[in-house]
Amino acid sequence: MKTVRTTHVAASAVCACLVASSAHADPNKVVIGDIDDMSGVYADIIGPGGVEAAKMAIADFGGSVLGNKVEFLVSDHQNKPDLGSEKFREWADRDGVTMVLGGSNTGVSIAMSAIAREKKTPFFAIGAAGASLTGKDCTPYTVHYAYDTTALGNGTATTILKHGGKSWFFLTADYAFGTQLQDAAADVVTAGGGKVIGAVRAPLATSDFSSYVLQAQSSGAEVLGLANAGGDFTNSLKTANQFGVTRKMKPAALLAFLTDIHGLGLETAQGLYLTTGWYWDLNDKTRAFAKRFFEKTKREPTMTQAAYYSATLTYLNAVKAARTTNPDKVMAELHKAKIDDMFTPSGTIRRDGLMEHEMYIMQVKTPATSKRPWDYYKLIETMPGDRAFGKLSDSKCPLVKE
């Protein structure tokens, strides 16, 4: 598993022993790590684009804090919880990492969150959706930043119910993320007077969705709830289109990203409702960031790539305010922070670690209404943070009760 170290935006070839020595010798040294899927089914969601976004944030901050250059580490967890947690522990013990960005995959982020608690290292879970990260799996050092399964269910499932989709069949990713996403959407469906007809689980990175789609078709349900993401989402929706299932069942994109819609094309994705925490064409601030990101990557940023930028800046500002990398003092500053940037105008980090902010219900445009490349979403509704994520008083995080 390859690790890349950079100082500010340039690569560094310092040997591991000297790095470890300098990291531990200076308590004000800031080392940010990024553990994500860099080559698999979720790589387009954050991946190398997230690395670029985090480097942009470090550069915009000035490249240094507390008198030291900010260092940046990158590792590919390959969607394996053991690899993610081992790398986190290694960086904490050897490299003096002071904050870790966790990319896509809920199972990996849950494993890394446990290391964050053990090593007392701030951990920003961004690509992972599982709401348990600020519920039963919460820690004093975990921040869940961009979105979660609760918000996705409250947005997309509620919207489809309003449009008559009462009976649901779920095609679900067979690990923690898929389970939590299906459960969140199913709760919204049943509370809204609908019913769940059935569900089928598909392994991560499934190559052939034919049998799963045919099971959904035979259920007689009105809605096909796709409780998956990334390549699994696009491949399952393509298969449903090829088999004509989407002419009889309304597909529900419970977690879809801009890159997914780009890959599918508007002919296939048009009309889909989805919930997102950010969109590049939402306002002047989002467009300004997107323009800079596009110049570097030739792609518009996803919600989670934008969140990588925001989270990196939020952490660096907390370190500056605390005047130390001491994790407890930095976390105290994070909980006091009012986040007003290109990602959100109204973000706050709650006691359970959730970064509460507005969420947006979007509908994918038709080819006729899209005016230019990447012009894919039409805003349907803006959800206040407490309606999207639920109230803090309802959190299942033990820290809230203390």
Side-chain angles (χ1 to χ4, degrees), residues 39 62 69 89 173 217 239-241 249 302 335 346 354 372 384:
S39 56
K69 291 284 188 180
R89 180 179 281 108
Q217 184 179 44
T239 302
N241 275 346
M249 302 178 73
T302 63
H335 286 296
S346 57
L354 175 73
R372 58 194 182 281

Side-chain angles (χ1 to χ4, degrees), residues 78-205:
Q78 302 174 39
N79 290 298
K80 298 177 180 178
D82 58 335
L83 292 185
S85 58
E86 286 171 9
K87 182 54 65 175
F88 195 146
R89 180 179 281 108
E90 175 189 313
W91 283 350
D93 291 342
R94 187 193 70 189
D95 300 296
V97 71
T98 58
M99 186 272 267
V100 172
L101 296 161
S104 303
N105 195 304
T106 294
V108 177
S109 283
I110 290 173
M112 291 198 295
S113 194
I115 306 303
R117 180 196 294 272
E118 175 190 333
K119 298 299 181 180
K120 296 185 177 182
T121 302
F123 170 53
F124 283 69
I126 294 175
S132 72
L133 284 161
T134 52
K136 66 182 182 64
D137 296 313
C138 72
T139 84
Y141 304 98
T142 299
V143 178
H144 203 180
Y145 206 80
Y147 67 108
D148 71 6
T149 49
T150 299
L152 298 173
N154 285 337
T156 305
T158 298
T159 301
I160 291 177
L161 277 171
K162 289 179 181 177
H163 287 81
K166 296 293 186 181
S167 60
W168 289 57
F169 185 94
F170 289 95
L171 198 168
T172 302
D174 192 16
Y175 75 107
F177 151 68
T179 299
Q180 293 188 38
L181 184 54
Q182 178 185 319
D183 288 348
D187 286 346
V188 171
V189 169
T190 54
K195 57 182 178 180
V196 176
I197 302 297
V200 63
R201 295 181 178 275
L204 183 67

Side-chain angles (χ1 to χ4, degrees), residues 13 15 18 44 47 65 102 161 166 171 194 196 235 255 262 276 280 292 296 321 323 339 352 358 362 371 395:
C15 78
L18 292 177
D44 280 349
V65 65
L161 277 171
K166 296 293 186 181
L171 198 168
V196 176
N235 290 333
L255 179 54
H262 187 72
T276 185
W280 74 269
R292 295 173 56 215
K296 294 178 177 293
R323 299 180 181 179
I339 303 167
D352 58 359
E358 293 177 340
M362 302 285 190
K371 303 303 182 184
S395 175

Side-chain angles (χ1 to χ4, degrees), residues 8 22 45 51 55 61 73 82 123 153 157 180 183 223 226 235 251 282 312 330 343 373 398 400:
H8 188 16
S22 62
I45 294 172
V51 173
K55 287 181 178 180
F61 190 80
L73 310 173
D82 58 335
F123 170 53
Q180 293 188 38
D183 288 348
V223 180
L226 296 172
N235 290 333
L282 198 61
T312 302
V330 170
F343 187 79
V400 175

